[in-house]
Structures are given as structure tokens and as C-alpha cells.
């Protein structure tokens, strides 16, 4: 069994900043862990990228960060990546690897009408992994899938302090507006919890908006336990491309308790 650092170091990985929705829940349960976050902004968004390219980048980037920090657990805070990269990461790392997958099972348990919407990226909704989740846990329900890349970009803009165009957002979910039996929507992308208020306004018939962040946080705590050391280390952010957005990105991450932003060069 691998000996954990005290406090343990947790790496969050996403193509953008949506993984902060998972991070904030983990940080609430484990405030004294050491946190690293990597956004692969050079390859953002992952939604319509080739599976093998996503796998190779995730493994390569996590390996590069692990050369600088002893990583005790990796959270793939991206639904699209989680549907394809987990086996490769677990093969290459001895630490625990936790993925993020759509909350199909709790949605199927909570719906009152049996009509569920899966709102995710275009990459996630077409993955066999998602089909199997539906087959295993929601065969008694009707699951409507809707893939959107634009909503991912909108969430990034909102987090960086830019206004959301409500008409543009409404266009992305307009096919669900008249489905009055739709009472449960799965937020199948880690960016989408940051748009929950706007989505509620567009889909007033929906009673439940579900994402797996709290369940992931509980899983991470179960795997790591409670650190005995209460010292707080410097939490760092890595990106894979320098851009004009870096000052606004750093501003966002500082609000979540990160101190600096560094660039990883991935060939």
C-alpha cells in the first residue's frame, strides 16, 4: 500500500476551469490538503477531440506534474476525459485516480416523472460509457441527451467575470423547453454547475439539477482520510498555454484559494 503524504497532495485535471465545481466540494471536506489544478487550455475544449489524443495528453501532463510534486490522488474533474482516460491513468500511476461521470443513478432514483435530461458535452453524450450507465441504472426512465460545447465556453466566460447572453444560453436548451414532463436534469459537465441559475430560468419545469461533485468529494475523503497535519501548503495552478487570459484566470483561481499560475509546455 502506498504511503500518503501528510497532508496529501491532490491533483485536479480538466481542459478548463469547470473542475473547480468539484474542487470546491473536496476542499470543503478536506480543507488542509495540498491542492494542484491543471487546465489543459492548449487543448480546450475536449468535447470534440479524438479519444486517443485526450488519453495521451492526460497521461503526459499528469506525469509531468508528478515529476515536480508527490501526487497522492488524481481527480479527473472532466466528464469527457473521465469516459476515456481512467484505465490509462490507473495503469501509469500507483496513486488513486477518481473520475467524474454523469449522475445517472441518483437522477433515476430521484425523478418523479421518469423523464430525465442529460446535459453534457458533445463528446460525453456519445460515449459508450454513458450508454452503459443508462443501461445499468436508468432503463426504467426516458433519458434525453443534449450535447453542447457553447455552454462550456459560457461557463468559462462567467467565471472570468463576463456577462452571459441569456438568449444564446436559451438557444442551447430550447428543445427541452416544451418538454413539461422533464423534471430532472443531469449536469454532465463540471462547467455546468456554474450555470445552474441560468439553466433554472430557462427550464422552470425542472425540479432537480444534479451533479456528482458532493459524491466525488466523499469518495476522495474516504480514500485519503483526514490529514493529521493542519498546515496549509501553497496551492498551485498549471496551464498548458500562455494566453492573454492568464491574469483573469489567476484572479478566478485566487478566489478559490490558489496562489499562483504556472505554464507547462507539452510537446
Amino acid at each position: 500500500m502506498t504511503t500518503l503524504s501528510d497532508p496529501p497532495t491532490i491533483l485536479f485535471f480538466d481542459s478548463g476551469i469547470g473542475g473547480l465545481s468539484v474542487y470546491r466540494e473536496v476542499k470543503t471536506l478536506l480543507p488542509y490538503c495540498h491542492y494542484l489544478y491543471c487546465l489543459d487550455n492548449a487543448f480546450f475544449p475536449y468535447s470534440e477531440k479524438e479519444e486517443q489524443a485526450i488519453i495521451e495528453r492526460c497521461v503526459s501532463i499528469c506525469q509531468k506534474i508528478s515529476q515536480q510534486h508527490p501526487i497522492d490522488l488524481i481527480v479527473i474533474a472532466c466528464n469527457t476525459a473521465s469516459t476515456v482516460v481512467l484505465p490509462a491513468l490507473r495503469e501509469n500511476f500507483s496513486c488513486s485516480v477518481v473520475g467524474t461521470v454523469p449522475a445517472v443513478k441518483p437522477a433515476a432514483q430521484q425523478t418523479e416523472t421518469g423523464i430525465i435530461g442529460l446535459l453534457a458535452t458533445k463528446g460525453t453524450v456519445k460515449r459508450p460509457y454513458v450508454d452503459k450507465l443508462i443501461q445499468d441504472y436508468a432503463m426504467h426512465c426516458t433519458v434525453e441527451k443534449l450535447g453542447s460545447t457553447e455552454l462550456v465556453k459560457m461557463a468559462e466566460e462567467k467565471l472570468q467575470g463576463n456577462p452571459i447572453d441569456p438568449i444564446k444560453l436559451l438557444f442551447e436548451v430550447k428543445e427541452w423547453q416544451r418538454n413539461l414532463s422533464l423534471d430532472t436534469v443531469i449536469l454532465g459537465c463540471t462547467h455546468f454547475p456554474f450555470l445552474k441559475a441560468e439553466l433554472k430560468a430557462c427550464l422552470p419545469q425542472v425540479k432537480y439539477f444534479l451533479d456528482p461533485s458532493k459524491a466525488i468529494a466523499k469518495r476522495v475523503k474516504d480514500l485519503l482520510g483526514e490529514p493529521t497535519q493542519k498546515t496549509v501548503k501553497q496551492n498551485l495552478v498549471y496551464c498548458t498555454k500562455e494566453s492573454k487570459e492568464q491574469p483573469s484566470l489567476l484572479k478566478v483561481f485566487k478566489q478559490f484559494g490558489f496562489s499562483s499560475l504556472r505554464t507547462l509546455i507539452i510537446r
Side-chain angles (χ1 to χ4, degrees):
M1 183 175 178
T2 305
T3 302
L4 297 175
S5 308
D6 191 11
T9 296
I10 305 173
L11 169 63
F12 284 81
F13 183 95
D14 187 14
S15 65
I17 56 182
L20 286 169
S21 65
V22 183
Y23 158 81
R24 66 182 174 183
E25 298 295 344
V26 176
K27 182 77 157 43
T28 298
L29 288 186
L30 294 169
Y32 296 107
C33 286
H34 178 217
Y35 291 98
L36 306 173
Y37 190 108
C38 181
L39 62 149
D40 186 11
N41 58 332
F43 215 52
F44 172 86
Y46 276 3
S47 175
E48 297 169 63
K49 299 295 194 301
E50 292 293 328
E51 291 186 14
Q52 190 56 39
I54 294 173
I55 293 169
E56 289 173 2
R57 288 189 70 85
C58 285
V59 172
S60 175
I61 291 167
C62 290
Q63 286 177 331
K64 192 157 189 175
I65 294 175
S66 71
Q67 292 169 4
Q68 302 177 38
H69 304 274
I71 297 173
D72 297 289
L73 186 142
I74 299 171
V75 178
I76 301 302
C78 170
N79 287 266
T80 301
S82 293
T83 58
V84 295
V85 306
L86 299 182
L89 283 171
R90 287 168 179 154
E91 184 178 327
N92 282 274
F93 288 86
S94 59
C95 67
S96 296
V97 179
V98 177
T100 309
V101 296
V104 173
K105 184 177 180 180
Q109 293 170 338
Q110 195 155 16
T111 180
E112 296 165 13
T113 63
I115 311 298
I116 297 170
L118 171 57
L119 184 62
T121 65
K122 291 180 179 179
T124 297
V125 296
K126 68 182 183 182
R127 295 282 190 260
Y129 189 103
V130 171
D131 292 335
K132 189 171 189 314
L133 284 177
I134 294 170
Q135 183 178 350
D136 288 347
Y137 301 114
M139 284 296 287
H140 61 291
C141 300
T142 298
V143 181
E144 304 287 347
K145 298 179 187 177
L146 185 58
S148 173
T149 302
E150 285 303 314
L151 287 175
V152 177
K153 296 175 182 177
M154 288 184 204
E156 294 263 327
E157 288 293 318
K158 180 181 178 181
L159 279 168
Q160 293 179 58
N162 299 312
I164 296 293
D165 182 343
I167 303 301
K168 189 175 179 182
L169 189 143
L170 178 60
F171 179 80
E172 292 299 305
V173 296
K174 66 177 183 179
E175 67 182 72
W176 283 353
Q177 269 205 305
R178 294 179 182 174
N179 189 347
L180 299 183
S181 297
L182 180 71
D183 76 333
T184 302
V185 167
I186 302 163
L187 300 176
C189 171
T190 55
H191 285 77
F192 294 169
F194 293 113
L195 297 175
K196 187 182 286 188
E198 291 84 353
L199 290 167
K200 282 183 175 180
C202 292
L203 301 168
Q205 79 276 30
V206 175
K207 189 173 182 180
Y208 307 109
F209 287 86
L210 302 181
D211 77 87
S213 299
K214 290 184 185 297
I216 293 166
K218 184 177 182 302
R219 174 63 176 158
V220 170
K221 186 174 182 179
D222 289 344
L223 288 168
L224 294 180
E226 192 78 44
T228 59
Q229 295 292 329
K230 302 302 183 183
T231 55
V232 178
K233 291 187 176 182
Q234 186 182 50
N235 297 329
L236 305 174
V237 183
Y238 290 91
C239 63
T240 55
K241 180 183 74 172
E242 292 186 0
S243 72
K244 63 182 180 181
E245 297 176 341
Q246 281 185 272
S248 60
L249 284 173
L250 180 57
K251 184 178 179 180
V252 171
F253 278 100
K254 281 188 172 181
Q255 293 172 1
F256 284 83
F258 291 86
S259 59
S260 62
L261 176 64
R262 302 176 182 179
T263 304
L264 284 174
I265 304 301
I266 304 297
R267 304 297 181 188

